[in-house]
Structures are given as C-alpha cells and as structure tokens.
C-alpha cells in the first residue's frame, strides 16, 4: 500500500518503483481521483512484485503545467506472510435513499479504507475508513465498492462488492453472497507529499 497526501492543484500522480535508490524502472500513472475517501489521502496498491525483493519507491504529482520532483523515497522488502485479509461482504440489492451495510467485522491491528470504483458519484459512504460501512445511493445504478485492508508495514489485500440500486419501488433484498477473493499485494508503506511545479521533467534529488 502506497499512500500520500493529495495536492489540490494536481490532476494526477505517478508512482515510481525500482531496485536501486532513485533509479526507477517502473511507473504507474494514477489519473482518476474520483472515489477517494475524505481526508485528502490518495491510495495506491503496488502489484506484481517479487516475493523477498527489495524495492525503492517515490511519487510525483502532475498537472497541465508539468510534473513535480520526486517525493521522499521509501525502501521496502516484499514479505506477504503478514498480509491481512479484506472482506467486502456479499453482493447486494438495495433502494434509493436507504442505507445498506457493507463489509465484515474488523480485525485488530488492521486498517481499512473503502473506495468507489464504479457507478454514479452520488453515493455516500458512512465510515470510509472502517471494516464495516453503510452506503446510501441517491440514484439507481450499479455500484462497485472496493475494500482495502492494510497493516502498519503496508502489506495489503483488496476485495470488491457489487451493489445494484433500484428506484423507490424496487426490491431491497440481498442477493446471494459473493465470496471474497482477496489478492495479496506486497508491502509498500509510504506517505510522501507531492507538490506539482512548473518543471516538465522531474529532477531526482538524493535522500
């Protein structure tokens, strides 16, 4: 799990990874900020890393002016043995304006965050940083919510739930449970703050 404080003037961010300090071989643009929880924190899950591998990571912010310098750098070793389990609960049917309960009981020592991945933006999550939350949708539609569970070292898993919202005359019963199938992601714990500047190309600076 990589997380950092959002920058109001940024239109997107880019996460960088490499095997050496300030030598990054992989990057990922994070363009869509829709569905981020309140509090000004952006979340990113790094995937496909080698078990036992040592990595270095950093973040930049960008807008129509250019891309910022690299943030502070984090070094980490992939160790999925202590990865927590995310369980977003069964798929559900509901009605406009009526709260639906999502998720399962929390586990001690695990942090949680809910992100809306699909569906109309007119939906409210009651507790976006809890294992259990409530969803209230203002319009009918198909919503997909993702729950991320992560610990203090940054090891994380994710699970999604599909919610179909009908109009006020629709049926509001739960539809069969979809078993959670979390995908383990390696630890990537960092909280850098990226500030966009007028520099088109970031200039690496040593730690």
């Amino acid at each position: 799990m990589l997380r950092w404080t959002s920058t109001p003037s940024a239109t997107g961010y880019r996460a960088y990874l490499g095997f050496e300090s300030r030598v990054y071989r992989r990057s990922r643009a994070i363009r869509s900020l829709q569905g981020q929880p309140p509090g000004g924190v952006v979340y990113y899950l790094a995937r496909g890393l080698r078990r036992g591998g040592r990595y270095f990571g950093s973040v930049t912010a960008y807008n129509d002016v250019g891309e910022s310098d690299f943030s502070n750098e984090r070094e980490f070793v992939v160790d999925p043995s202590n990865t927590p389990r995310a369980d977003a609960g069964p798929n559900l049917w509901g009605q406009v304006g009526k709260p639906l309960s999502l998720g399962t009981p929390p586990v001690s020592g695990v942090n949680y965050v809910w992100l809306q991945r699909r569906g109309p933006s007119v939906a409210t999550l009651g507790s976006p940083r809890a294992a259990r939350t409530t969803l209230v949708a203002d319009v009918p539609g198909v919503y997909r919510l993702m729950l991320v569970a992560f610990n203090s070292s940054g090891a994380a898993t994710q699970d999604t739930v599909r919610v179909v919202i009908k109009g006020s005359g629709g049926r509001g019963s739960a539809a069969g449970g979809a078993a959670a199938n979390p995908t383990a992601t390696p630890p990537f714990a960092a909280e850098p703050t990226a500030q966009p500047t007028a520099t088109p190309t970031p200039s690496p600076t040593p730690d």
Side-chain angles (χ1 to χ4, degrees), residues 6-190:
S6 63
T7 301
S9 56
T11 56
Y13 302 90
R14 186 173 292 275
Y16 291 84
L17 292 174
F19 300 115
E20 301 176 56
S21 178
R22 298 301 183 186
V23 181
Y24 304 124
R25 299 185 178 182
R26 167 179 165 182
S27 67
R28 173 70 181 270
I30 305 163
R31 298 183 178 87
S32 175
L33 305 183
Q34 179 184 6
Q36 293 296 338
V41 179
V42 182
Y43 295 85
Y44 169 67
L45 293 176
R47 301 178 177 88
L49 306 185
R50 284 201 318 259
R51 181 186 297 267
R54 183 178 299 275
Y55 293 86
F56 297 82
S58 187
V59 173
T60 63
Y62 63 82
N63 55 23
D64 56 357
V65 177
E67 187 174 5
S68 73
D69 289 336
F70 290 114
S71 69
N72 57 305
E73 186 177 65
R74 296 293 184 176
E75 178 183 359
F76 60 96
V77 175
V78 177
D79 178 14
S81 61
N82 64 343
T83 302
R85 181 176 182 268
D87 187 352
N91 294 336
L92 297 172
W93 291 80
Q95 293 181 11
V96 168
K98 293 188 177 181
L100 280 174
S101 179
L102 307 178
T104 53
V107 175
S108 178
V110 178
N111 301 302
Y112 301 91
V113 61
W114 288 88
L115 303 171
Q116 182 180 340
R117 309 312 293 172
R118 292 183 182 178
S121 59
V122 283
T124 302
L125 287 172
S127 303
R129 290 192 177 91
R132 278 181 164 168
T133 189
T134 56
L135 172 71
V136 178
D138 297 335
V139 299
V142 179
Y143 297 77
R144 187 172 293 275
L145 288 300
M146 181 174 74
L147 174 65
V148 180
F150 61 98
N151 57 24
S152 58
S153 70
T157 61
Q158 67 183 53
D159 187 36
T160 59
V161 59
R162 182 175 182 266
V163 181
V164 178
I165 299 296
K166 301 290 187 179
S168 57
R171 188 180 64 186
S173 60
N181 183 23
T183 302
T185 57
F188 193 160

